[in-house]
Amino acid sequence: MHKMQVAGAEVLVEQIIDRLENTIDATVFCLDDVGEIGYRLRDKGVPVIVLGRRPGMDLSVAKKLADEVKRRDIQVLHAHQYTPFFYSAIARIRYGVKAKVIFTEHGRHYPDVVSWKRRLANRTLLQRYADITTACCDFSTKALQTIEGFPKAFTLNNGVDVSDLVPRGDESDQSRLRERLGLDQDRPYAACIARFHEVKDHATLIRAWAKVHQQLPEAHLLLVGDGEERENIENLIAELSTSSNSQLAASISLLGIRNDVPELLRAIDVFTLTSVSEAASLTLLEAMASECPSVVTDVGGNAEHLRHGVDGYLAPRGDDEALAGCLVKLLSDPDRARQFGRSSRARVLDAFDLNDAIGQYLHHFQTLAATHN
């Protein structure tokens, strides 16, 4: 991994380790730092080793990785994202590591530009050292095949734990939940649960919410997360809270990082995500499993998960006008929101169960370990 921060791929890694604790002996290697989830894993007794990558191409990382893999007799390296794969491949090529490698791609940059040198290196050499190459959605798989030079890549869908993400229940259940969370009973709520990073494009959401607020002044937006964009988000809210929209700031709450996300998803009316780039958003799948209708940007794998007009709405990237229109539709139509929410959960149960995803990863671990020498 790069760093075991609170984000989708990192959460998946923790879930794999937790679910397979009696089957695999896991060690986590981080290129850059431990991260919140890394410290949590250390508390559980899982080794989390920071390789201390320096700026630029740091081949000493591959040497450190190789030494640890050999010392620990690791059979399979599961590299999440391209840079961890690159150093895993170099550890095999240059330092004689025998461990098999799974390369999993989770997301893509926007714009998706890859240098010709990287493409050439992948096609002519590096892709041979990925014994299995997977991506978490068809969008990322296609990019690996056509842009990166991994022709054998295939899709292994992410999943969420549906046992932890229960349906909404009836009105009395909702009332008790909102009271416990400190939410108003009759106020429509939308929530964005995402790290405060420029790729999540909170700016478009804030601009859209200014339009929503003019039509639905009683509606409230919850922003769950934190990160380097927090100050910019706060400044934009203040900037848009003009005399003609003076109550905008009061209609938006920045809640920070929360440990009660499943409860929030059951209590709110609409989940929204405005990323400029996305692969398979675990938070979107969690919202869908919680019977929460969603309004998300039509990027990456979002359209593979959410069916427009069935589970929620897709809006063009960066289009605050379209996004606002979709939010108003759902926030002002509880019957449609409930219908979308029920179909969302059915969609997750059918295609995105965490048990299925982890079962497939375990199969690949065992298959590769059997060929380790």
Side-chain angles (χ1 to χ4, degrees):
M1 307 296 295
H2 286 268
K3 171 184 176 182
M4 288 297 287
Q5 61 190 338
V6 180
E10 292 76 8
V11 168
L12 176 64
V13 168
E14 183 181 30
Q15 290 171 327
I16 291 172
I17 292 171
D18 286 346
R19 296 294 184 91
L20 301 181
E21 63 177 343
N22 296 321
T23 309
I24 64 172
D25 184 10
T27 299
V28 178
F29 297 102
C30 295
L31 295 180
D32 302 316
D33 202 354
V34 180
E36 182 178 333
I37 294 178
Y39 286 114
R40 197 157 68 211
L41 287 172
R42 280 182 174 176
D43 289 341
K44 299 174 185 176
V46 177
V48 179
I49 299 169
V50 177
L51 299 172
R53 177 174 59 151
R54 297 186 296 250
M57 185 186 298
D58 181 5
L59 295 183
S60 71
V61 165
K63 177 64 165 61
K64 294 174 189 174
L65 177 63
D67 290 344
E68 287 288 347
V69 167
K70 292 174 183 177
R71 185 172 71 84
R72 295 170 181 271
D73 193 26
I74 288 173
Q75 297 171 303
V76 179
L77 275 171
H78 192 176
H80 295 264
Q81 306 292 28
Y82 180 81
T83 304
F85 162 72
F86 172 81
Y87 286 112
S88 299
I90 298 302
R92 291 183 71 177
I93 295 168
R94 188 164 180 174
Y95 299 109
V97 163
K98 301 297 184 184
K100 302 297 182 179
V101 174
I102 300 177
F103 167 32
T104 294
E105 177 79 276
H106 291 277
R108 303 294 304 176
H109 291 291
Y110 175 78
D112 199 350
V113 177
V114 175
S115 73
W116 69 267
K117 292 180 181 179
R118 174 163 148 176
R119 293 198 306 270
L120 180 63
N122 290 340
R123 290 192 174 101
T124 59
L125 178 63
L126 296 181
Q127 58 101 3
R128 301 181 208 167
Y129 294 92
D131 298 282
I132 292 174
T133 302
T134 72
C136 59
C137 60
D138 292 340
F139 167 80
S140 292
T141 297
K142 184 177 179 181
L144 283 175
Q145 294 171 340
T146 61
I147 298 175
E148 293 279 9
F150 293 85
K152 295 181 181 179
F154 61 91
T155 301
L156 197 165
N157 285 323
N158 279 349
V160 292
D161 188 348
V162 292
S163 65
D164 284 344
L165 299 160
V166 298
R168 297 191 148 229
D170 57 23
E171 289 185 12
S172 62
D173 294 327
Q174 284 288 97
S175 178
R176 287 192 294 270
L177 181 57
R178 283 200 170 193
E179 182 178 2
R180 189 161 70 247
L181 293 171
L183 302 180
D184 294 343
Q185 294 294 340
D186 300 322
R187 187 185 299 277
Y189 285 93
C192 175
I193 302 170
R195 59 197 169 103
F196 291 179
H197 186 277
E198 61 182 8
V199 75
K200 300 301 181 182
D201 193 16
H202 285 81
T204 290
L205 175 56
I206 300 304
R207 288 192 292 269
W209 192 255
K211 296 177 172 63
V212 172
H213 180 66
Q214 290 177 332
Q215 299 182 60
L216 300 174
E218 73 281 8
H220 201 92
L221 175 64
L222 306 175
L223 300 181
V224 179
D226 208 347
E228 63 256 38
E229 283 292 299
R230 185 183 183 96
E231 184 177 352
N232 289 336
I233 291 169
E234 292 173 334
N235 290 341
L236 181 58
I237 293 171
E239 177 187 328
L240 294 177
S241 297
T242 61
S243 56
S244 61
N245 209 1
S246 59
Q247 297 302 309
L248 175 65
S251 76
I252 303 174
S253 296
L254 279 67
L255 301 184
I257 295 173
R258 301 279 293 232
N259 295 318
D260 55 358
V261 167
E263 288 77 17
L264 279 171
L265 288 171
R266 292 204 310 278
I268 63 172
D269 299 283
V270 178
F271 169 76
T272 186
L273 190 66
T274 51
S275 307
V276 297
S277 177
E278 198 71 59
S281 168
L282 288 177
T283 313
L284 171 58
L285 292 177
E286 289 172 349
M288 293 172 66
S290 304
E291 292 189 349
C292 184
S294 302
V295 176
V296 299
T297 43
D298 189 5
V299 298
N302 283 349
E304 299 173 36
H305 299 80
L306 181 142
R307 298 163 296 184
H308 181 72
V310 177
D311 310 310
Y313 293 122
L314 296 163
R317 174 195 293 118
D319 190 337
D320 56 276
E321 187 77 42
L323 184 73
C326 293
L327 287 168
V328 168
K329 277 184 185 179
L330 278 182
L331 289 169
S332 59
D333 190 344
D335 289 338
R336 180 179 299 184
R338 279 191 292 272
Q339 176 188 340
F340 283 2
R342 287 192 292 268
S343 65
S344 293
R345 181 170 173 84
R347 171 78 170 148
V348 172
L349 290 172
D350 180 59
F352 302 105
D353 189 327
L354 177 64
N355 289 326
D356 293 338
I358 292 181
Q360 291 182 67
Y361 281 123
L362 176 59
H363 169 73
H364 295 312
F365 295 160
Q366 292 174 327
T367 300
L368 292 181
T371 64
H372 177 266
N373 53 46

